[in-house]
Amino acid sequence: MADSFSLRNVLENFKSCLSDNKEVYVKYYISGWRELVSFMNSLGSVFSFISKDAVSKIQILENFLMGENGTHYLTVQSMVKYELDNELVDLTKRGSHPESGCRTLLRLHRALRWLQLFLESLRTSTEDSKTSVMCSEAYNASLAQHHPWIIRKAAGVAFCALPGRDAFFEVMNAGSHQEVITLLGEALPLISEVYQITEDLYAKNKLLDLP
Ligand code: 1Q0
C-alpha cells in the first residue's frame, strides 16, 4: 500500500472531482481521501485512530453511492438536494439520520481545509521547518475548532510522531524536492477549488454546522 502512494494520485483524483459545470463528484472525492488514508497508514500506528474515522466516513459515502439511491449521490450537489428534499438530514441535533451523506461529507470537507493549509505550508517551507509545527498550525486554524479537547490532545500527540520534512517529501513519492514542490503548486489550486465550491454550497444551504 505504502509503496503505491503518490502525491500524483491524490492530484489526479482531485482533478477528476470537478465536472464541466463545476459539480463535485463524490466518487473521486472519496478516492482522493482513500489515497490520503493509505499515505497516513504508512506513517505508523499512532495515526490509526485518525484513519479509522476517515475510513468509516469514506465507507458511509461509498455505501450511499453504491446503494439503491446511488444516482442521487453522484455529486455533492445532487446529494445535498436529494437529502434535503427528502428530509434525510438531522439539521439541529442528531436524531433519525445520524449518518446522513451531508453531515458525513462535512467532516471530510473540514479536513480538506486542514489539508489545504498543511500542504500550502509544506510547499513554502524551508529546510529547517518542522512538519509537526506546520501540521498543528494547520489543524488549529481548521479542524481543531470542531473537535473536543480530548481529540485535540490526541491529535497533538500524533503530530509529534510525524516524520521530518525530508522523509515527508520522500514518502510523497513524486521525485526530487523541487518536483514535489512544483506538484504541490499544481495540486493546491485544485484542492482549493473543490473546497470552495463545497463550502459555498454548504453555506448557501445552511449546512455548515450539521450535528
Ligand atoms: C499526516 C497527519 C495526519 C493528520 C490529520 C489531521 C487531522 C486530525 C484529526 C484527528 C481526529 C480524528 C478522530 C476522530 C474525529 C471525529 O470525532 C471527527 C468528527 O466526526 P464525528 O462523526 O464524531 O462528528 N472526525 C473528523 O473530524 C474527520 C477527520 C478526518 C481526518 C482525515 C485525515 C486524513 C489524513 C490524511 C493524511 C494526509 C497526509 C498529508 C500529506 C499528503 C500528501 C499528499
Side-chain angles (χ1 to χ4, degrees):
M1 264 315 240
D3 289 341
S4 64
F5 174 85
S6 151
L7 179 59
R8 220 170 285 280
N9 296 342
V10 177
L11 171 69
E12 285 307 320
N13 278 305
F14 283 104
K15 202 181 257 177
S16 308
C17 254
L18 288 178
S19 75
D20 292 341
N21 56 345
K22 303 280 182 198
E23 295 201 9
V24 178
Y25 289 119
V26 172
K27 180 179 166 192
Y28 296 106
Y29 194 90
I30 58 184
S31 308
W33 279 109
R34 275 207 198 280
E35 282 291 330
L36 289 162
V37 167
S38 88
F39 177 77
M40 192 164 50
N41 287 337
S42 75
L43 297 178
S45 55
V46 234
F47 299 96
S48 57
F49 79 105
I50 307 176
S51 65
K52 276 204 191 94
D53 185 70
V55 166
S56 92
K57 291 185 166 53
I58 293 168
Q59 199 57 54
I60 291 170
L61 292 169
E62 187 151 285
N63 292 345
F64 280 128
L65 190 59
M66 297 302 172
E68 53 182 330
N69 297 310
T71 50
H72 299 294
Y73 288 84
L74 224 50
T75 68
V76 178
Q77 286 73 4
S78 64
M79 171 187 83
V80 165
K81 181 169 183 346
Y82 170 71
E83 288 196 343
L84 287 180
D85 287 354
N86 293 282
E87 295 178 28
L88 297 171
V89 187
D90 289 340
L91 294 172
T92 50
K93 60 175 177 20
R94 294 185 88 172
S96 46
H97 304 288
E99 296 194 329
S100 65
C102 287
R103 70 88 61 193
T104 302
L105 192 122
L106 176 62
R107 271 59 188 174
L108 295 177
H109 169 68
R110 290 168 177 165
L112 195 63
R113 173 74 181 149
W114 162 79
L115 184 72
Q116 185 191 346
L117 295 173
F118 179 56
L119 294 184
E120 178 58 19
S121 100
L122 212 53
R123 188 182 74 84
T124 54
S125 64
T126 54
E127 258 165 54
D128 53 357
S129 303
K130 284 203 176 337
T131 48
S132 56
V133 172
M134 295 188 263
C135 189
S136 58
E137 282 174 358
Y139 176 72
N140 289 336
S142 59
L143 274 175
Q145 58 209 73
H146 303 288
H147 287 161
W149 180 86
I150 184 77
I151 297 221
R152 294 202 301 268
K153 202 75 195 156
V157 171
F159 296 160
C160 293
L162 278 175
R165 182 175 176 272
D166 279 353
F168 217 91
F169 274 81
E170 287 303 312
V171 194
M172 290 210 221
N173 195 15
S176 68
H177 283 200
Q178 198 45 55
E179 286 170 313
V180 172
I181 289 169
T182 305
L183 198 61
L184 284 174
E186 287 169 33
L188 276 158
L190 289 168
I191 293 176
S192 303
E193 192 177 13
V194 170
Y195 177 84
Q196 203 51 51
I197 290 172
T198 311
E199 178 76 7
D200 293 345
L201 176 74
Y202 269 63
K204 197 176 85 190
N205 289 283
K206 300 194 169 51
L207 299 176
L208 284 169
D209 295 309
L210 290 181

